[in-house]
């Protein structure tokens, strides 16, 4: 049996074309295994021109308290980073044309950050999701504006419905979403969503 290796981000590799074309994700071009840190800074300090260049965020690096958490950042260390800072973090993944949560925060922070942890040839890499709703909506044929729950990835037609749903959903485990399941605005939770189980 091989040694257990917790998921952690490492160095830059290009986004899959399906994700790149959406225009909802920023991929930090970093070679020092600090993709997690730069993704947080991208959220805290949005830059319009060449936002994937990590040198643009150098002056803010000390703003993010990492404590004794080493790079690359493992998923199981994220709660510790959240406690040191006034922001919350969700981490998603994308595999076989499916999105699913890897880590969903229970913290209510002044600022929220959505990340994606991708895998390629045994390497993992964090990227910054600048627009979760756009990213998820790209899987559907719906052209209107939608709002998604970060725990179950369920779609709602307005923010009020999403807010009413949030408290109930907090009692449930995060779910995995297939693009073929997103057909209607207000499907009952669990009716068309497959619960995600780690393999």
């Amino acid at each position: 049996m091989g040694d257990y290796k917790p998921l952690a981000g490492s160095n830059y590799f290009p986004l899959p074309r399906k994700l790149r074309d959406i225009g909802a994700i920023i991929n930090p071009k970093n070679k020092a295994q600090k993709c997690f840190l730069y993704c947080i800074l991208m959220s805290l300090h949005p830059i319009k021109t060449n936002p994937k260049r990590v040198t643009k965020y150098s002056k803010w690096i000390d703003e993010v308290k990492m404590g004794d958490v080493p790079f690359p950042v493992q998923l199981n260390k994220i709660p510790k980073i959240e406690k040191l800072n006034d922001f919350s973090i969700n981490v998603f993944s994308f595999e076989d044309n499916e999105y699913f949560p890897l880590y969903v925060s229970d913290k209510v922070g002044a600022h929220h950050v959505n990340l994606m942890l991708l895998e390629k040839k045994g390497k993992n890499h964090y990227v910054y999701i600048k627009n979760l709703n756009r990213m998820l909506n790209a899987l559907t044929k719906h052209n209107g504006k939608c709002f998604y729950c970060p725990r179950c990835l369920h779609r709602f037609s307005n923010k009020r419905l999403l807010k009413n749903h949030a408290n109930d959903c907090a009692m449930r485990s995060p779910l995995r979403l297939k693009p073929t399941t997103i057909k209607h605005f207000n499907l009952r939770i669990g009716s068309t969503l497959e619960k995600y189980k780690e393999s």
Side-chain angles (χ1 to χ4, degrees), residues 6-19:
L7 286 175
S10 57
N11 292 332
Y12 169 86
F13 55 75
L15 286 174
R17 182 174 179 178
K18 184 180 290 290
L19 297 180

Side-chain angles (χ1 to χ4, degrees), residues 131-154:
N131 192 323
L132 179 67
N133 293 325
R134 182 192 299 173
M135 183 187 80
L136 296 176
N137 208 42
L139 286 179
T140 77
K141 295 181 180 180
H142 181 72
N143 293 322
K145 192 171 185 178
C146 299
F147 303 88
Y148 289 83
C149 171
R151 290 191 67 84
C152 66
L153 305 185
H154 189 72

Side-chain angles (χ1 to χ4, degrees), residues 82-133:
E82 288 181 311
K83 289 180 181 179
L84 294 171
N85 298 274
D86 194 17
F87 52 70
S88 57
I89 302 168
N90 287 346
V91 182
F92 300 87
S93 192
F94 181 77
E95 181 182 347
D96 298 329
N97 206 35
E98 295 179 12
Y99 293 111
F100 53 95
L102 291 176
Y103 173 80
V104 177
S105 178
D106 291 325
K107 177 180 178 178
V108 179
H111 185 81
H112 180 71
V113 184
N114 287 313
L115 306 180
M116 181 178 290
L117 184 59
L118 299 173
E119 188 274 336
K120 182 179 181 181
K121 296 181 179 179
K123 295 183 179 180
N124 297 296
H125 177 53
Y126 287 104
V127 297
Y128 168 51
I129 304 171
K130 66 178 181 180
N131 192 323
L132 179 67
N133 293 325

Side-chain angles (χ1 to χ4, degrees), residues 1 3 10 78 176:
M1 180 180 294
D3 294 334
S10 57
I78 291 179
R176 183 171 186 145

Side-chain angles (χ1 to χ4, degrees), residues 151-184:
R151 290 191 67 84
C152 66
L153 305 185
H154 189 72
R155 185 179 74 184
F156 295 89
S157 57
N158 59 63
K159 289 183 179 180
R160 179 182 59 81
L161 291 174
L162 175 58
K163 185 177 180 180
N164 291 341
H165 156 84
N167 289 335
D168 178 61
C169 192
M171 306 294 291
R172 304 172 184 269
S173 298
L175 301 174
R176 183 171 186 145
L177 181 71
K178 292 184 177 181
T180 53
T181 64
I182 317 176
K183 295 181 179 178
H184 306 291

Side-chain angles (χ1 to χ4, degrees), residues 24-61:
I25 297 171
I26 302 177
N27 186 6
K29 295 196 75 170
N30 122 95
K31 296 181 179 179
Q33 298 188 331
K34 294 185 178 181
C35 51
F36 177 91
L37 174 60
Y38 287 115
C39 285
I40 299 297
L41 292 174
M42 287 174 176
S43 178
L44 293 172
H45 301 283
I47 291 176
K48 292 184 178 180
T49 305
N50 295 320
K52 65 182 180 181
R53 291 186 179 177
V54 296
T55 53
K56 291 179 175 285
Y57 305 92
S58 299
K59 60 184 177 182
W60 297 302
I61 279 184

